[in-house]
Structure formats: structure tokens, C-alpha cells
Amino acid sequence: MSKNQVNNVFHQDFKIKPIDRQKRLNQKPLLIWFTGLSGSGKSTLANGTEQRLFQNGYHTFLLDGDNIRKGLNKDLGFEKEDRNENLRRIAEVAKLMMEAGLIVVAAFISPYRKEREMIKELVGEDRFLEIFVDCPLEECEERDVKGLYQKARKGLIKNFTGIDAPYEAPQKPFLQLPTSDWSKEECLDKIIGSIKEKITWIA
Ligand SMILES: Nc1ncnc2c1ncn2[C@@H]1O[C@H](COP(=O)(O)OS(=O)(=O)O)[C@@H](OP(=O)(O)O)[C@H]1O
Ligand SMILES: Nc1ncnc2c1ncn2[C@@H]1O[C@H](COP(=O)(O)OP(=O)(O)O)[C@@H](O)[C@H]1O
């Protein structure tokens, strides 16, 4: 679409506002964003976090790299530009889900600081909780959950994060979880303990 066409698109106001939906669901929307290397534990912890919230009555949705890349973003690869477009679309989807009142849990490598900043700005700083799933490359490679590191080392996959593509660790994340030292349950206890205050509805 050309710039001209974008200029001819107008914002529509809805009668039902986000605040109405928040009151109905009795919760404040949030984006809980897991970032880290492949195999660091993002999906495991994002799933566990969603399960615990859901079982406690919260309205949630989980967005995960592999699944989104098989559907909405199946036209994108792993070049820097593609990763950025991947995350831009996901951020917009997460924003819509938050407007619907949901607590969104997201698990993406999201290797570039600048893109994570973009997501924070888009959804609002106070509603974006960045969780750094911190696991050394050596341990991720040893886990090699999907056999991708082995393929990357053999040169069968290009631009693999940590091997021949960068990962920029967060400098001031909301939480940093050393998954090579802490168990999954320890990490989940820390997450739930830290976000409890943020998700309680204050009328
Ligand atoms: N080149 C390369 N680099 C990194 N990861 C790769 C690559 N090729 C395929 N995969 C698989 O894609 C999953 C990561 O997708 P994401 O959407 O999270 O990546 S990104 O945020 O756009 O960087 C990632 O999932 P996780 O292992 O859960 O992180 C891999 O299964
Ligand atoms: N503390 C931990 N938190 C999360 N996963 C862990 C932890 N300790 C070990 N693991 C294991 O590490 C692997 C992480 O895989 P996964 O969650 O798919 O990572 P990612 O989504 O980052 O690629 C799983 O096999 C999981 O059982």
C-alpha cells in the first residue's frame, strides 16, 4: 500500500471502550514478554505462567514463536528485517488482545533491544513486563531441544541466534531467570510472585 493510501485511512472510535472490557473481566491487561535464546526455556515458562494465571481465574492468551511462524507470519524468515517485521506484527496482535482485556503471555527470541523497546512503547511501559530467560549458550546447545543447534553448527541453518546471528541481552528486565541454576517450578514461583501486584484489579 502506498503512503497516500495510508493517509486516506481514518481511526474509528468504538462505543465499547477498553475500560469497559477491563471492568467486565475484572482484570488489568498486561503483556508478559519472555525473551531469550532458543532452548533457554521461554515456551516452558510462558506455558507454565499462563496455566497458573488461567487456573486462578484470569483471562489469558499465549503467543509463541513457533506457532505464529506457522500461521500469521509464515511468510517471514530469520533475516534481521524479517525478525523485526515478525515482532512488529506480534506486538500489534498483542495490543489488540490487550484492548480486548486479556493478559497476554508471549515467548519470542526477540533478539534486538531496539525491537523490544518498540513493543514496550506500543503497548505502554507500565503494561510491558520483560522477562529475560537467561541461559548460557553452551547449556542451550547441550539441551538442543529441537536439534537446531546441531543443524546450525553444520551450516544447515543460517542466521541462527547465538551461532551466526546476535542476541542482545536485556539491560534492565523486569525479571531475570537463570534457568540453568533454577528449576522450572522455582522460576514460575518467582514470576507469579512478582506479577501478582500488577494483575490485581483495583477499581
Ligand atoms: N535461524 C533461526 N534462529 C532462531 N530460531 C530459529 C531459526 N530457525 C528456526 N528457528 C525456530 O524459530 C523459533 C524462533 O522464532 P521467533 O519468532 O521467536 O524468533 S524472533 O523473535 O523473530 O527472532 C525458535 O523457537 P525457540 O527454540 O522456541 O526459540 C526455533 O524453533
Ligand atoms: N528452569 C527451567 N525453566 C524452563 N525450562 C527449563 C528449566 N530447566 C530446564 N529446562 C528445560 O529446557 C528446555 C527449554 O525448552 P523450551 O521451553 O522449548 O525453550 P525455548 O522456548 O526458549 O526454545 C525444556 O526441555 C525444559 O524442560
Side-chain angles (χ1 to χ4, degrees), residues 35-185:
T35 172
L37 293 172
S38 177
S40 59
K42 301 180 300 297
S43 298
T44 304
L45 296 178
N47 262 291
T49 300
E50 193 196 22
Q51 255 182 317
R52 288 206 188 182
L53 291 174
F54 190 80
Q55 282 158 3
N56 277 286
Y58 292 102
H59 302 268
T60 59
F61 200 78
L62 177 60
L63 298 171
D64 189 282
D66 276 322
N67 293 358
I68 295 283
R69 280 179 171 279
K70 281 188 185 292
L72 176 67
N73 291 349
K74 66 180 174 190
D75 57 325
L76 301 175
F78 289 88
E79 301 286 342
K80 188 171 194 275
E81 294 69 31
D82 278 10
R83 289 186 199 249
N84 292 352
E85 176 60 12
N86 180 41
L87 295 172
R88 188 195 67 77
R89 291 183 200 169
I90 289 154
E92 292 287 354
V93 169
K95 190 179 171 207
L96 288 175
M97 290 184 166
M98 291 166 81
E99 282 173 13
L102 299 179
I103 295 172
V104 181
V105 183
F108 297 92
I109 296 180
S110 41
Y112 297 105
R113 245 173 242 140
K114 197 170 156 221
E115 265 51 52
R116 296 195 302 266
E117 280 297 312
M118 173 278 290
I119 300 162
K120 180 165 82 179
E121 272 164 38
L122 186 75
V123 303
E125 191 168 353
D126 54 328
R127 308 199 305 174
F128 178 75
L129 305 184
E130 184 181 49
I131 300 185
F132 176 26
V133 185
D134 184 14
C135 186
L137 176 65
E138 300 71 44
E139 166 94 20
C140 293
E141 209 168 341
E142 203 165 302
R143 290 179 185 169
D144 208 3
V145 184
K146 303 168 191 157
L148 296 177
Y149 282 100
Q150 209 180 13
K151 284 190 187 164
R153 287 290 183 199
K154 285 184 182 158
L156 299 172
I157 308 177
K158 296 283 170 222
N159 299 314
F160 198 80
T161 308
I163 307 293
D164 57 349
Y167 178 76
E168 297 171 358
Q171 286 165 322
K172 281 190 182 170
F174 172 73
L175 274 182
Q176 183 162 347
L177 304 170
T179 62
S180 51
D181 295 333
W182 296 4
S183 71
K184 173 188 159 187
E185 295 307 320

